Amino acid sequence: FIVLTALLWAAHIYADTHIDMVARQQANIAYVLWVLAMFCTLITPMVITDTFVRTMGREAPVLQAISRNPLVYFLVGNLSDG
């Protein structure tokens, strides 16, 4: 994920400077690369943490809490984003 994230950021910077500026309304290549790079940037620490915890032979406490109360987390997530 780290290499993929770096490649996406490099491709985004190249597309933003040489092809076209980021425009959400047009959904151009710079915007798509920016969204993918942001997603990978946010998910990479989670993947690394999950891999580290699973190699220790146990499940993450956050996952245990969500598994016990899925409806509460679903409702809180829906209410918190408007």
Side-chain angles (χ1 to χ4, degrees), residues 4-33:
L4 177 64
T5 303
L7 288 174
L8 284 170
W9 277 114
H12 160 67
I13 291 169
Y14 178 81
D16 192 36
T17 55
H18 296 301
I19 298 173
D20 198 9
M21 290 179 57
V22 173
R24 183 176 59 101
Q25 293 85 3
Q26 297 172 350
N28 58 7
I29 190 67
Y31 175 73
V32 171
L33 289 171

Side-chain angles (χ1 to χ4, degrees), residues 20-68:
D20 198 9
M21 290 179 57
V22 173
R24 183 176 59 101
Q25 293 85 3
Q26 297 172 350
N28 58 7
I29 190 67
Y31 175 73
V32 171
L33 289 171
W34 177 67
V35 170
L36 289 172
M38 287 296 293
F39 170 76
C40 285
T41 300
L42 293 173
I43 200 124
T44 297
M46 294 179 212
V47 169
I48 292 170
T49 303
D50 185 54
T51 304
F52 178 72
V53 169
R54 286 182 191 247
T55 57
M56 294 171 55
R58 58 180 201 235
E59 189 177 11
V62 173
L63 293 178
Q64 290 175 353
I66 293 173
S67 293
R68 278 186 250 138

Side-chain angles (χ1 to χ4, degrees), residues 70-82:
L71 180 61
V72 173
Y73 284 93
F74 174 75
L75 293 174
V76 169
N78 278 335
L79 292 174
S80 67
D81 69 1

